[in-house]
Amino acid sequence: MSIAFNHKFSGAKLLDTIRQFPVSSIIAMKVCAISHYWGRTFQGCIALTAAG
C-alpha cells in the first residue's frame, strides 16, 4: 500500500481527486461527520478507513 496524498482538500477537489482512483482503492480519512458523508457517497466504489 502506498500513500498518494497527505493533505486537506476542498469538497469539490476531493470529489475530482477520488474519481481518478481505481475502484479498489482504500482511502484513510480523519473520522468526522463529513467523512461519513463521503463514505455514503462512494459506497461500493472505495473503502474508507480511519486515519491512524
Side-chain angles (χ1 to χ4, degrees):
M1 184 182 324
S2 64
I3 297 174
F5 298 98
N6 187 18
H7 54 82
K8 293 181 181 180
F9 287 100
S10 67
K13 182 69 175 171
L14 177 63
L15 185 58
D16 291 339
T17 302
I18 289 177
R19 285 182 175 153
Q20 297 175 15
F21 288 0
V23 173
S24 61
S25 295
I26 297 173
I27 298 175
M29 185 179 290
K30 183 177 177 182
V31 178
C32 63
I34 198 68
S35 64
H36 295 290
Y37 165 80
W38 288 116
R40 289 189 306 274
T41 300
F42 294 106
Q43 184 176 0
C45 298
I46 60 170
L48 289 178
T49 185

